[in-house]
Amino acid sequence: APLSAEWLPAIHDYFPDQPPGKTGKGQLYDLNMLLNTHAGRCHQAAALNRWLREAGFQAGELLSLPSDSALLVTAPERRP
């Protein structure tokens, strides 16, 4: 079923490509995923944005959080 216009999908993660000035936790989290999971990794926000667009969502906005993680917030594409 299609998502309601009232829903705003959000992805919470440590993104390796977070804005400059962050502590580098995204890169460390990516390394942790690689070492401790089967083929795990931390994806860049740019890649997630590309996949979201291909799936019919608007380009997401990356919101930095005090925890050094971030939210990638998007919405379904508006259709005429």
Side-chain angles (χ1 to χ4, degrees):
L3 288 177
S4 165
E6 298 170 5
W7 285 80
L8 290 176
I11 300 166
H12 178 225
D13 209 342
Y14 290 103
F15 297 102
D17 58 340
Q18 272 187 255
K22 289 297 177 183
T23 62
K25 287 183 183 175
Q27 290 86 355
L28 292 173
Y29 187 64
D30 191 24
L31 179 60
N32 176 62
M33 292 294 293
L34 178 64
L35 295 174
N36 295 304
T37 65
H38 178 71
R41 64 179 297 188
C42 185
H43 297 284
Q44 294 190 357
L48 289 170
N49 247 328
R50 187 176 63 251
W51 299 333
L52 287 165
R53 294 293 312 239
E54 290 171 1
F57 290 88
Q58 298 175 25
E61 182 178 355
L62 190 62
L63 306 171
S64 293
L65 301 174
S67 63
D68 293 334
S69 59
L71 280 177
L72 182 63
V73 182
T74 186
E77 260 318 322
R78 293 186 181 156
R79 298 187 181 175

